[in-house]
C-alpha cells in the first residue's frame, strides 16, 4: 500500500519531471537547427528535405508524447465511467501527461477504495444487523417460548379456576346437604324425645293397666280358689276320689294363675319404680330359715332334701345389714322354689350364706337339670322360660328372676347363676353390708 | 250348734255377731256360708258406707273388712271405726286382695288386728283366725 501510495502520490517531485514544455523546447531547437543547417546550404532541396524531416519529427513526437497517452487515458476514463474500477492508466512518461495519468490513477484508487470501504461498512453493518437480528430471533424464540409457557400457565390457571369453582360448587352442595342432614337429625332428635316421652307415658299407663287388671283378676281368682278349697273340705257335700282329684288339679292351675298375677303386679311396680322398698336391719340367716320352712313341705312332697350351711369354710359371723326384708324374701323364695321345681325327686338343695369381703353372699345350689349355655344370658329377662322348663310343665311365670334381678340391683348388689346341664345350677346374689 | 240355738236372732246377740264387709257377692256368699257352718252370727255389708253404719249400730264382735270397696274404701272404714271411742275396740281383720307390703303396713298401722290376703288363705284358715280373735 505504501508503495502504491508513493507511486500514486498526487504531488510529483518537480525534479523528476521532464516537462512537455522542455521536450517542445528541445524539439523546436532541433527543428530550428535542422532548418538553419539546411537553409545555410542554399539549396532548396535540402531545405525541403530538412523541413520534411522536422515536420515528421514533430509529428512523431506529438503522437508519442501527447496523443497516445491522452487516448490511452481517455479509454481508461471511459472504462471507469462504465463501472470498472480495477483498471488503471498506463504511465508512459514522466511529463505532465504522465503526471495526469498518475493523478488519475490516484483518483481511481480512491474511487476503487470507496466502494470497498462502503461495502465493508455495509457488510459490517449487515453482519451487525444479522447478529442483532439473530439475537433478536433468539430473544424472540425465547419470548415465544415464554409466551407459550405463559399461555400454558394461563390455560392451567383457567382450568384450575374451573376446577376450583366446581369444587366450590360441590362444597356448597355438600354444605346444603349437611345442613339438611343436620336439620333432619335435629328433627329426629325431637321426634325421639317425643317418642321417648310417649313411651314413658305408655309405660306408666301400661304399669297402671297391669295393676288394675291384676286387681280385677284377683277377686274371681280368689273366689275360684275358695270354691275349690271348700269343695275339698266338704262344705258342698262329700266328693268321690275322682271328683277330689279333678278339683285338686283345678286348684293347682288356679294357684299358678294367682302367682302369675302377683308376679305381674310386682313387675309393674318394679318397672315403674313404685316398688315400696324400705331398708331396715335384717338378719339374713333368719330370713333363709323362714323361707326354707315355708317350702319344706313342698320339697318333702317332691322327695327333695334342703340343707342350710351357715358358713362354709369359715367361722366369720354374718353381720346384720340394711335391706328390704320382703324383697329379699321374694328373691330367696324364687330361688328356692325354682330349685325345688327343677330338681328331680331324690335330689338335694343346699343354701349357703357367707360374708364375702364387704358383701353377704347367698347361694342356692341344686342337683337339678341345669341350664343350657345358650339360655344363660336370657335367664334374668322378662317372661323368659327355658326349653326344658317348659317341657317339664312347671307352673313358672318367667317373671321371678326378672323381679329378683331388679330387687338385687336396687340393693346395689349382684345376681348370677352358675350351671352345668344335667348336674345342677347355683343361683347366687350378694348385697353390700351396710 | 249350741250357740246357734241360744242366739237365734242377729239383732239380739250383736256381741257375738261377725260383720262381713265385702262387695263381691260370690266371695261374700262363700265366706258367709263357711262362717255360718261354724254357728257364727253373720251381718253382711256390701260397701264401706254400709259397713261403717253396721259397725256403729250393731257393734259386732268381729269385722272382716275388704279394702277395695265402692264409695268409702276399707282403709277409711278402718280409720273411722278406730277413731270412734264406741267402736275402736272392735277387732277388725282385713280380708283383701291387696297384699303388697305397703298396704299391709298401712292396714296394721290403722289398727287392724290382722291382714289376710284372700288368695293366700283357704276359707277354713280364715274361719280359724276369726275364732281365734273371738276367743
Amino acid at each position: 500500500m505504501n508503495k502504491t501510495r508513493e507511486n500514486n502520490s498526487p504531488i510529483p517531485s518537480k525534479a523528476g519531471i521532464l516537462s512537455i514544455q522542455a521536450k517542445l523546447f528541445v524539439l523546436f531547437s532541433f527543428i530550428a537547427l535542422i532548418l538553419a543547417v539546411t537553409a545555410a546550404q542554399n539549396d532548396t532541396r535540402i531545405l525541403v528535405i530538412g523541413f520534411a524531416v522536422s515536420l515528421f519529427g514533430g509529428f512523431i513526437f506529438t503522437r508519442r508524447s501527447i496523443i497516445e497517452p491522452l487516448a490511452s487515458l481517455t479509454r481508461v476514463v471511459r472504462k471507469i465511467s462504465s463501472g470498472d474500477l480495477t483498471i488503471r492508466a498506463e504511465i508512459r512518461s514522466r511529463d505532465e501527461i504522465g503526471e495526469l495519468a498518475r493523478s488519475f490513477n490516484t483518483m481511481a484508487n480512491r474511487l476503487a477504495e470507496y466502494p470497498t470501504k462502503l461495502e465493508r461498512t455495509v457488510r459490517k453493518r449487515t453482519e451487525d444487523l444479522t447478529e442483532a437480528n439473530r439475537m433478536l430471533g433468539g430473544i424472540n424464540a425465547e419470548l415465544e417460548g415464554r409466551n407459550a409457557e405463559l399461555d400454558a400457565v394461563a390455560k392451567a390457571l383457567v382450568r384450575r379456576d374451573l376446577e376450583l369453582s366446581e369444587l366450590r360448587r360441590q362444597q356448597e352442595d355438600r354444605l346444603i346437604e349437611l345442613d339438611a342432614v343436620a336439620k333432619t337429625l335435629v328433627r329426629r332428635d325431637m321426634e325421639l324425645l317425643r317418642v321417648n316421652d310417649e313411651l314413658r307415658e305408655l309405660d306408666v299407663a301400661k304399669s297402671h293397666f297391669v295393676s288394675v287388671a291384676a286387681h280385677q283378676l284377683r277377686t274371681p281368682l280368689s273366689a275360684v280358689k275358695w270354691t275349690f278349697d271348700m269343695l275339698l273340705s266338704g262344705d258342698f257335700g262329700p266328693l268321690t276320689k275322682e271328683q277330689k282329684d279333678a278339683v285338686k288339679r283345678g286348684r293347682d292351675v288356679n294357684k299358678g294363675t294367682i302367682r302369675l298375677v302377683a308376679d305381674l303386679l310386682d313387675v309393674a311396680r318394679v318397672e315403674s319404680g313404685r316398688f315400696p322398698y324400705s331398708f331396715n336391719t335384717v338378719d339374713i340367716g333368719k330370713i333363709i330359715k323362714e323361707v326354707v320352712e315355708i317350702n319344706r313341705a313342698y320339697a318333702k312332697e317332691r322327695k327333695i332334701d334342703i340343707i342350710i350351711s351357715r358358713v362354709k369354710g369359715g367361722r366369720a359371723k354374718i353381720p346384720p345389714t340394711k335391706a328390704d326384708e320382703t324383697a329379699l324374701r321374694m328373691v330367696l323364695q324364687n330361688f328356692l322354689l325354682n330349685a325345688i321345681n327343677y330338681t328331680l325327686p331324690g335330689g338335694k338343695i343346699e343354701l349357703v350364706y357367707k360374708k364375702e369381703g364387704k358383701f353377704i353372699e347367698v347361694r342356692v345350689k341344686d342337683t337339678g337339670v341345669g341350664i343350657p349355655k345358650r339360655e344363660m344370658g336370657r335367664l334374668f329377662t322378662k317372661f323368659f322360660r327355658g326349653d326344658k322348663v317348659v317341657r317339664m310343665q312347671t307352673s313358672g311365670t318367667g317373671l321371678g328372676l326378672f323381679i329378683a334381678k331388679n330387687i338385687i340391683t336396687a340393693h346395689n348388689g349382684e345376681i348370677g347363676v352358675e350351671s352345668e346341664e344335667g348336674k345342677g345350677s347355683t343361683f347366687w346374689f350378694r348385697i353390700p353390708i351396710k | 250348734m249350741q250357740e246357734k240355738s241360744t242366739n237365734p236372732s242377729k239383732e239380739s246377740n250383736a256381741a257375738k255377731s261377725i260383720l262381713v264387709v265385702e262387695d263381691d257377692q260370690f266371695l261374700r256368699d262363700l265366706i258367709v256360708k263357711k262362717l255360718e257352718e261354724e254357728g257364727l252370727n253373720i251381718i253382711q255389708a256390701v260397701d264401706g258406707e254400709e259397713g261403717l253404719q253396721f259397725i256403729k249400730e250393731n257393734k259386732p264382735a268381729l269385722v272382716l273388712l275388704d279394702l277395695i270397696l265402692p264409695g268409702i274404701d276399707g282403709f277409711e272404714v278402718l280409720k273411722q271405726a278406730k277413731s270412734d271411742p264406741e267402736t275402736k275396740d272392735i277387732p277388725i281383720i282385713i280380708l283383701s286382695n291387696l297384699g303388697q307390703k305397703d298396704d299391709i303396713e298401712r292396714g296394721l298401722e290403722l289398727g287392724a288386728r290382722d291382714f289376710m290376703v284372700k288368695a293366700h288363705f283357704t276359707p277354713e284358715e280364715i274361719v280359724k283366725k276369726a275364732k281365734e280373735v273371738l276367743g
Side-chain angles (χ1 to χ4, degrees), chain B residues 5-113:
Chain B
S5 57
T6 49
N7 304 307
S9 161
K10 288 175 191 175
E11 307 295 325
S12 61
N13 201 354
K16 287 284 178 183
S17 65
I18 295 176
L19 172 64
V20 175
V21 187
E22 170 64 64
D23 64 323
D24 186 86
Q25 197 189 337
F26 190 6
L27 280 172
R28 202 171 60 237
D29 287 351
L30 287 170
I31 198 66
V32 166
K33 178 180 168 63
K34 193 75 185 173
L35 288 165
E36 280 180 340
E37 277 174 13
E38 296 296 324
L40 295 167
N41 197 16
I42 310 300
I43 307 166
Q44 299 177 42
V46 298
D47 58 29
E49 209 172 331
E50 204 175 54
L52 203 55
Q53 185 195 326
F54 291 169
I55 289 171
K56 285 175 179 170
E57 284 177 7
N58 301 76
K59 309 223 168 32
L62 174 67
V63 179
L64 294 182
L65 178 65
D66 191 12
L67 285 176
I68 300 171
L69 294 166
I72 312 170
D73 74 1
F75 287 118
E76 188 58 31
V77 171
L78 182 61
K79 205 160 92 183
Q80 290 195 22
K82 289 296 168 186
S83 63
D84 185 339
E86 281 191 46
T87 56
K88 71 175 172 53
D89 293 327
I90 297 172
I92 297 175
I93 293 173
I94 290 169
L95 190 58
S96 172
N97 279 318
L98 296 182
Q100 297 297 334
K101 196 178 65 175
D102 42 347
D103 299 323
I104 295 169
E105 279 171 1
R106 190 177 166 202
L108 295 177
E109 268 169 30
L110 286 170
R113 177 66 64 89

Side-chain angles (χ1 to χ4, degrees), chain A residues 389-430:
Chain A
V389 166
V390 173
R391 260 181 270 126
M392 283 170 81
Q393 296 200 326
T394 56
S395 57
T397 60
L399 295 169
L401 287 174
F402 173 75
I403 294 165
K405 187 183 165 79
N406 273 278
I407 287 169
I408 296 303
T409 304
H411 281 79
N412 294 318
E414 289 171 59
I415 194 166
V417 63
E418 291 145 21
S419 185
E420 201 175 325
E421 245 188 305
K423 288 200 174 171
S425 310
T426 302
F427 281 86
W428 58 264
F429 71 81
R430 61 172 77 105

Side-chain angles (χ1 to χ4, degrees), chain A residues 250-288:
Chain A
R251 186 186 60 178
D252 288 347
V253 168
N254 193 58
K255 196 176 165 188
T257 311
I258 287 168
R259 214 172 84 211
L260 172 63
V261 168
D263 283 354
L264 279 172
L265 264 174
D266 287 336
V267 166
R269 288 154 73 96
V270 159
E271 282 189 325
S272 63
R274 288 185 290 113
F275 197 92
Y277 289 107
S278 60
F279 294 88
N280 296 303
T281 305
V282 298
D283 179 348
I284 292 278
K286 187 166 156 271
I287 297 171
I288 290 174

Side-chain angles (χ1 to χ4, degrees), chain A residues 30-276:
Chain A
F30 187 67
I31 289 168
L33 185 60
I34 291 172
L35 285 175
V37 168
T38 47
Q41 297 292 325
N42 287 339
D43 188 346
T44 357
R45 243 187 359 211
I46 288 173
L47 190 59
V48 171
I49 289 168
F51 191 74
V53 167
S54 295
L55 209 62
F56 185 72
F59 174 73
I60 290 295
F61 176 82
T62 306
R63 190 183 147 85
R64 282 217 40 195
S65 292
I66 298 166
I67 295 172
E68 275 184 7
L70 281 175
S72 168
L73 197 56
T74 304
R75 277 199 304 275
V76 168
V77 169
R78 267 202 205 105
K79 278 200 173 172
I80 282 176
S81 298
S82 66
D84 185 1
L85 296 178
T86 59
I87 201 147
R88 292 291 178 273
E90 198 184 337
I91 301 163
R92 298 182 187 182
S93 59
R94 303 177 72 181
D95 54 18
E96 282 85 347
I97 289 181
E99 188 58 25
L100 177 66
R102 190 175 282 117
S103 292
F104 180 81
N105 275 352
T106 302
M107 187 202 73
N109 277 342
R110 288 277 173 88
L111 269 178
E113 239 168 52
Y114 207 78
T116 310
K117 255 189 191 170
L118 201 64
E119 217 171 85
R120 213 185 289 127
T121 308
V122 167
R123 201 182 302 126
K124 176 84 172 63
R125 289 281 162 81
T126 305
E127 272 171 13
D128 286 353
L129 280 173
T130 307
E131 177 62 19
N133 205 31
R134 203 170 54 72
M135 273 169 68
L136 279 172
I139 288 168
N140 204 30
E142 207 174 306
L143 283 174
E144 267 171 24
R146 285 280 169 84
N147 208 25
E149 274 172 35
L150 283 173
D151 205 41
V153 167
K155 271 179 189 158
L157 280 173
V158 168
R159 203 162 51 237
R160 192 88 191 100
D161 196 47
L162 278 171
E163 279 172 11
L164 279 173
S165 45
E166 173 65 14
L167 271 177
R168 195 157 43 235
R169 208 178 50 72
Q170 280 176 5
Q171 266 180 347
E172 272 163 16
D173 287 355
R174 191 96 189 94
L175 272 175
I176 290 166
E177 272 172 39
L178 280 173
D179 198 47
V181 167
K183 274 179 188 154
T184 308
L185 280 175
V186 167
R187 204 164 51 239
R188 282 279 169 81
D189 205 40
M190 280 164 73
E191 256 171 54
L192 277 175
L193 281 174
R194 194 176 49 75
V195 167
N196 201 29
D197 282 351
E198 276 176 15
L199 280 175
R200 203 175 294 136
E201 278 168 27
L202 269 177
D203 208 44
V204 169
K206 184 200 74 182
S207 291
H208 181 69
F209 169 77
V210 169
S211 295
V212 171
H215 280 303
Q216 295 297 317
L217 283 170
R218 278 183 154 185
T219 299
L221 284 170
S222 295
V224 170
K225 174 186 155 55
W226 284 3
T227 304
F228 285 140
D229 287 343
M230 287 170 72
L231 276 169
L232 286 170
S233 57
D235 291 286
F236 301 109
L239 300 183
T240 64
K241 193 184 175 298
E242 211 179 351
Q243 286 170 332
K244 271 190 178 177
D245 286 346
V247 171
K248 271 183 186 169
R249 281 210 300 279
R251 186 186 60 178
D252 288 347
V253 168
N254 193 58
K255 196 176 165 188
T257 311
I258 287 168
R259 214 172 84 211
L260 172 63
V261 168
D263 283 354
L264 279 172
L265 264 174
D266 287 336
V267 166
R269 288 154 73 96
V270 159
E271 282 189 325
S272 63
R274 288 185 290 113
F275 197 92

